Each structure stands twice: as C-alpha cells, then as structure tokens.
Amino acid sequence: MLECLRQGGPVGGRWYSLIDKVWLEQTLRIGAARVIANRGSPGVDGMDVERFEEHRDEEIARLSKRLRSGTYRPQPMKRTYIPKPGTNEQRPLGIPTVCDRVVQAALTLVLEPIFEAEFSPRSHGFRPGRSCQDALNATIRHLNEGRTWVIDADLKGSFDSIPQERMLAQVARKVADGKVLNLIRQFLEAGIMDGLTLSEPKSGTPQGGVISPLLANIYLDELDHLMAQGGCTMERYADDFVVFCHTEAEAKQALERLTAWTALAGLTLHPTKTRIVDLTQERAHIDFLGYRILRHTGKDGRPRFLRLVRPKSDQKIHDRIRSLTPRKAAQALEETVTELNRTLRGWHAYFRTAIRNIHQELDQFVRRRLRSQRCKTNRIHCWGNGTAHRRWPNAFFNELGLFSLETAHVQYLQTHRGTTDRRAVCGKTARTVRREGWPT
C-alpha cells in the first residue's frame, strides 16, 4: 500500500480494498500499542487500559474476528466534560471504549497515509512529524516577511458541527471500500451516554475519538487549498487557524472567501472572536495556540514580534500552581515540589519559546507560593516576601530540586543558538529583550 502511494497512488486515485488491512491482527496490535501508551479513561463498558493490556491477545483476536464477520458494532461513547481555560464553560468530550479506540487507531493507521499525501503543508495539527511549534515558527516567519494583515479566526464548535454526510463524501473521494465507509459511519453515529441518557449525534465527529482529528483534517483540507489558491497564507492546527495577507484589501477579500466557505461547509465563524488585525500597529496582537504574538518596536526602531503567553493560558497555569500550593500544606514540601515539577516541565515543554521574563516571573510566583506555605507552617506572619525570602532563598529550593523555568529556557536558547532562523524559533533572544527594556 505504501509502495503504491510512493508511485502515485492507485489508478483513478481511489482505494477499493482497505478493510482487510484494518482487521489484520498486526494492524490492530499497533493500534492497541498506541491506545495503551495514551492511557485514558474507560468507556461505558468500564474496561480500563490496564485490564485490556492483561488480555491483549484475546481482545485483539476477538476484534479481528468480529470485523471479518461483519458483526462488530461500536458501543456508545461516554460523555465527560472538561473546563475551558479562562471561562466558566465546559468542553464536552466523548470517550469511546478501549476496544473501540483500538479499532479507530487501526482505521487511522490505514487511512492516514492515503490522505497525508495530499494534505496542505500549512496544516500542522495531529499530523506525523508536525507540531504546534511548527505552526508558531511559520507564523513568526510570515510576519517577518511582511504579511502583517492577519485574520485571527475562530470556528464555533467545529468538531460538533461538521455535517456527517459531507464529511463521508470527502473521505469517499479517495476511499471506495464500502465496508470502511460504513465503519466510519458507525463511529460517527454511535450514541453518546451522558449519565443515564443516551442520545444520537446528528452532526460532527466527537472530540475524544481517536479517528476524529484525522476526519477533521480531511474535512478542513479543502479550506487549506482554497486560501492558498486565493494568494493568502494560512497556518492551521486542527480547527485553530490564522490567515496572513500583505494588505487590508487582501485580508477583507480573504475573510469574505472564508465566510462563504464556512457557510457552505455547515460551519460558523465566531462573530466576535474573528477579526482582522493590523500588525503594523504598535502593541497589536493575535492569539494562536495558547500564545500571544505581540508587535513591539525596539529602541533601534525595528519591529519585532514577541511570543508571550495568552492571558487564558497564563491564568490556567497560575490557577494550577495555586491548587498545588495551598497555604495550609497537607503534605511534605518534597512531595509538593515533585507535583510542581511535573506541572512545570509540561508547561515548559509547550511554552519554551515564550520570552524569558515570562519564565522568570512564573518561577518567582512558584517560590513565593512555597515561601508563603512555609510561613504558615512555621507560624510566621509573612506572605512569601521579605523575611521569608531571606529565610528560604532561591538556593534552598534549588537544593530541593525545584524545576526552574528560567534555567530551562536559557538552556533551550543555548541549544538553538546555531539555528539559521533564530527569530522564528525563539521569537526574541534574551540579549535583545534586555536591550529593548523588557525585564529579564
């Protein structure tokens, strides 16, 4: 199959026999390994990943047999909700059973190479070898090249709004295997169990499904190519995207095309969150993938685009640190540091390219919270400053092994010092930050 793709694909561009590759135990095993690595919650049947792993061989053999005989049917997904950062809203997720996740992973393994061959290079989300940082690096590069009129777009509930028939038609352009199309349809139409209530979705691909990101990319690929044909540059990560233009007129025309396409595709642009931004203006900004890209003119008169942290993302990490460092400590300091390190390392892995003062300020906030905790434990009337700073200096926390975001950020900059497009990778060097008066 992969060799056929390397030679240009099948005659006529459509694949007629794929289900036999999905039900292969070898494919299901690879899918199972991915599901087990991701862990995750059990579905409506209560089976968790650990229990599946104990009986992996039997479960895979059973799934393969049911797929071959045509008796496989996905179970309803379990509805769960997670908070949206910075709001009081809840984001709905659909959690398939572990067995259904394995079949979806196997199906993704078979379909992904077929569509990857034609996906736009401007699409980054949930694709092999691509990441959020790639999309952010491209964003800085476009701005430095003068595409400073930007459409900061927001799709309302895109995963839940995509018309299922239109999505299946997009898949059917490349896939003619009726059994594979029917299997995708079954996953789309699987019920959702919310408590004791079972509902049947009429549109969308539920967030939480293994195959959902691929289906969303297939559906939105048409938009990627449409914007490219119109002469604009778009960078997209799943349903989060920005469009770069040279002039205001170009941006307005691009927004008209974007609005027309979303209406035809059954999607909706958020009326208040979608806007055209002129990034030639000082302090103008766009929010993309948790970052805030801000225009700043240095003392040398040259414009630069800084990578800050979006306020909602910043609020989320501060709230998380507060929850781990209550004034009345219920555990040993070493245990608190261990939990903090887990959170701080994860945050740094994603926001490592933000400017240095953000890492420094967050370090200070963490230490201040820990000092305040120490004061409460030792009955000292202090809130983490002054006396507490002298009693528990930074070196005290370093000896405890507290992860330092600033140190990790400096190490990251040093590692990428030889990168050709330094500004695209890091947004701003520590030396430039100091020269332009930003706190370091």
Side-chain angles (χ1 to χ4, degrees):
M1 177 182 173
L2 293 175
E3 182 60 32
C4 180
L5 281 168
R6 280 190 286 270
Q7 295 177 7
V11 177
R14 299 183 77 198
W15 295 79
Y16 288 86
S17 181
L18 292 173
I19 192 64
D20 58 317
K21 299 166 183 62
V22 177
W23 69 44
L24 277 177
E25 289 195 15
Q26 180 183 0
T27 311
L28 291 168
R29 257 176 220 291
I30 299 173
R34 294 188 175 186
V35 171
I36 291 169
N38 290 332
R39 313 314 289 181
S41 304
V44 294
D45 63 353
M47 177 187 285
D48 56 24
V49 173
E50 291 76 14
R51 182 178 159 198
F52 178 90
E53 192 172 10
E54 289 177 9
H55 306 280
R56 185 188 325 208
D57 292 341
E58 304 96 284
E59 292 292 345
I60 288 175
R62 185 173 63 84
L63 286 172
S64 178
K65 182 178 179 180
R66 291 174 62 198
L67 286 166
R68 289 172 185 268
S69 64
T71 58
Y72 171 79
R73 296 290 183 275
Q75 294 190 62
M77 289 170 288
K78 184 173 73 174
R79 173 67 81 208
T80 186
Y81 297 89
I82 60 173
K84 286 187 177 182
T87 71
N88 295 323
E89 300 178 28
Q90 298 282 314
R91 187 189 305 277
L93 297 181
I95 308 299
T97 65
V98 176
C99 290
D100 288 343
R101 297 207 292 268
V102 170
V103 176
Q104 288 190 30
L107 187 57
T108 301
L109 283 165
V110 173
L111 293 178
E112 189 174 66
I114 295 172
F115 291 94
E116 267 292 323
E118 293 187 358
F119 276 162
S120 165
R122 299 295 166 223
S123 166
H124 302 273
F126 306 102
R127 294 183 58 191
R130 293 172 178 266
S131 68
C132 293
Q133 295 300 330
D134 294 325
L136 290 162
N137 292 342
T139 294
I140 299 295
R141 186 167 62 250
H142 296 319
L143 294 173
N144 287 330
E145 290 172 355
R147 299 182 182 91
T148 51
W149 282 90
V150 182
I151 303 173
D152 191 352
D154 187 275
L155 288 173
K156 289 181 66 176
S158 59
F159 274 79
D160 297 327
S161 304
I162 295 175
Q164 293 179 354
E165 292 302 324
R166 185 180 170 93
M167 182 192 298
L168 286 167
Q170 291 288 78
V171 178
R173 287 189 308 103
K174 306 289 291 182
V175 176
D177 189 325
K179 292 183 178 180
V180 166
L181 293 174
N182 185 54
L183 186 58
I184 296 173
R185 182 184 294 276
Q186 288 179 3
F187 283 125
L188 292 176
E189 296 178 351
I192 296 177
M193 186 68 73
D194 192 347
L196 299 176
T197 303
L198 178 64
S199 61
E200 296 182 3
K202 302 298 182 183
S203 64
T205 174
Q207 296 185 60
V210 176
I211 199 171
S212 294
L214 174 61
L215 294 177
N217 275 335
I218 292 171
Y219 195 73
L220 294 173
D221 184 61
E222 181 183 345
L223 176 61
D224 297 336
H225 293 288
L226 174 69
M227 300 310 293
Q229 291 165 7
C232 298
T233 302
M234 184 172 82
E235 298 296 335
R236 181 175 65 82
Y237 191 96
D239 60 347
D240 194 359
F241 60 90
V242 283
V243 183
F244 302 88
C245 306
H246 285 100
T247 66
E248 183 180 11
E250 280 184 20
K252 289 181 176 179
Q253 292 174 1
L255 183 57
E256 289 176 4
R257 289 196 304 274
L258 182 58
T259 303
W261 183 87
T262 52
L264 182 65
L267 303 175
T268 306
L269 286 172
H270 200 293
T272 58
K273 294 182 180 179
T274 299
R275 60 197 183 107
I276 294 177
V277 183
D278 177 12
L279 281 171
T280 63
Q281 301 299 312
E282 184 69 5
R283 311 297 293 178
H285 71 270
I286 57 172
D287 292 334
F288 187 42
L289 299 176
Y291 280 77
R292 171 158 288 183
I293 310 299
L294 178 83
R295 180 193 168 95
H296 169 66
T297 302
K299 292 181 179 179
D300 58 1
R302 294 175 55 195
R304 292 179 176 84
F305 299 97
L306 311 184
R307 294 193 193 189
L308 311 180
V309 177
R310 186 183 181 189
K312 286 185 179 180
S313 303
D314 188 59
Q315 183 66 44
K316 183 178 179 181
I317 184 61
H318 278 79
D319 288 346
R320 176 59 179 163
I321 291 169
R322 287 188 184 96
S323 71
L324 293 175
T325 57
R327 282 273 285 170
K328 293 184 178 179
Q331 59 185 13
L333 180 59
E334 291 77 9
E335 294 179 18
T336 300
V337 167
T338 298
E339 291 184 1
L340 279 169
N341 285 350
R342 192 179 300 116
T343 295
L344 296 174
R345 285 193 176 98
W347 188 90
H348 174 263
Y350 188 83
F351 288 105
R352 60 184 179 273
T353 58
I355 63 173
R356 182 177 175 182
N357 72 304
I358 290 175
H359 301 268
Q360 186 182 52
E361 289 170 1
L362 196 55
D363 271 346
Q364 292 170 353
F365 176 72
V366 171
R367 290 192 293 263
R368 193 160 59 246
R369 293 288 302 180
L370 290 173
R371 290 187 183 109
S372 178
Q373 204 178 64
R374 293 290 86 202
C375 288
K376 183 69 174 179
T377 302
N378 290 274
R379 298 182 179 181
I380 299 173
H381 297 289
C382 184
W383 290 93
N385 299 314
T387 303
H389 187 281
R390 292 189 292 273
R391 184 164 183 172
W392 297 287
N394 294 357
F396 171 79
F397 297 107
N398 292 339
E399 291 175 5
L400 280 174
L402 180 65
F403 183 78
S404 170
L405 293 167
E406 184 182 12
T407 301
H409 177 66
V410 170
Q411 291 172 349
Y412 175 79
L413 292 181
Q414 291 172 346
T415 302
H416 290 80
R417 190 152 283 171
T419 304
T420 54
D421 190 0
R422 176 68 182 280
R423 203 181 302 170
V425 173
C426 301
K428 196 173 188 67
T429 67
R431 182 180 299 174
T432 304
V433 170
R434 287 195 294 272
R435 185 175 67 245
E436 294 174 2
W438 286 78
T440 61

